[in-house]
Amino acid sequence: METTEPQVTPAPTDEESQLHDSYRISNPLEIGGVLRHLATRGDFMTVYFANGQRQLVTRLLKVEPQARGFYFDWGGIETENRALLANKRALFVGVPEGIQVHFPIGDVEEREYEGYPAFYSSYPETLVRLQRRDYFRVKTPILDPYQCTVKFPEDTPMRLAVFDLSLGGVGLRTKAEAAAEIPKGSMLMHVEIELRDYGTVQVDLEVCAVRAVPLAKDIEYHIGCRFIALSRTAESRLQKLITQLELNRKAFARG
């Protein structure tokens, strides 16, 4: 099956507090238009499910505006097809024409399309269509870092430190050797980032890069991730923290 190389989405300047609002679509007519465009182009998209640990490459086949639903292609691995049908939540991610599109879907049904098995789902409630932008990124405290918890199925949750942050993604670091085994392009679902005064946000991440950084006595692993389908609540809290960190940096520089 064909896959698409993960695209790193840059994120906006600190003055733009409504980053995704202008790109988030909730009108069913507009959502249907984007889905029809994807079906017409026949671009490959990736469906992530099972807490991001499984994926299926597919294409949209047909959109039914009146029923507010759409068909998408049956995968080449039957066990993955059955696993997707058993899941209650999945996430579509694609980069048609260099523009990132992602949207969550609920229950998926098996139906027939032109005599062959296919998947069928209702329209998503919201769809995000992002273009490339230059994101404002800030360094986070080193001595008392913000913490991030990644939950892997059947494994002990991994705690990582945040070393930089933007509305487009987050940089994480850890000395745990297990981090070296996280593959580029994998999805980390339901990740919790503790922002202290700004609360805890739950986000979905795509791993864009993993690199080993030699230290004096051991090795630290840096993991660069981008946010997928960032909620408005999480976006608002992250924006406030980013703005505060930048104000603190400027005050320290003047000091």
Side-chain angles (χ1 to χ4, degrees), residues 101-219:
V101 175
H102 49 255
F103 54 89
I105 57 173
D107 289 339
V108 177
E109 302 176 15
E110 177 183 356
R111 292 195 184 180
E112 188 175 283
Y113 178 76
E114 295 186 348
Y116 295 94
F119 296 108
Y120 184 86
S121 174
S122 298
Y123 279 12
E125 292 186 4
T126 62
L127 178 150
V128 174
R129 190 170 181 267
L130 286 174
Q131 296 188 19
R132 295 177 181 272
R133 308 189 57 160
D134 292 326
Y135 283 3
F136 181 79
R137 182 176 295 271
V138 296
K139 296 292 184 182
T140 54
I142 297 177
L143 297 180
D144 185 20
Y146 297 98
Q147 296 294 318
C148 173
T149 303
V150 179
K151 301 175 182 177
F152 297 100
E154 302 177 2
D155 287 331
T156 303
M158 181 183 294
R159 296 274 290 176
L160 305 99
V162 176
F163 67 83
D164 67 21
L165 187 65
S166 79
L167 288 180
V170 61
L172 305 172
R173 58 185 174 87
T174 179
K175 293 181 181 179
E177 293 184 359
E181 304 302 319
I182 300 176
K184 178 182 176 181
S186 61
M187 297 290 292
L188 306 178
M189 310 294 282
H190 310 306
V191 174
E192 293 182 349
I193 304 178
E194 300 163 20
L195 306 178
R196 293 202 276 272
D197 292 345
Y198 298 97
T200 297
V201 296
Q202 188 176 88
V203 298
D204 296 337
L205 302 174
E206 179 181 1
V207 177
C208 299
V210 179
R211 64 189 182 95
V213 179
L215 301 178
K217 296 182 179 180
D218 49 23
I219 295 177

Side-chain angles (χ1 to χ4, degrees), residues 14-35:
D14 55 339
E15 291 88 2
E16 295 175 288
S17 60
Q18 302 299 324
L19 165 66
H20 287 171
D21 284 351
S22 58
Y23 300 110
R24 181 182 284 110
I25 301 170
S26 56
N27 184 311
L29 293 178
E30 293 183 63
I31 290 174
V34 174
L35 296 179

Side-chain angles (χ1 to χ4, degrees), residues 92-103:
F92 265 85
V93 180
V95 194
E97 302 172 290
I99 298 174
Q100 293 188 26
V101 175
H102 49 255
F103 54 89

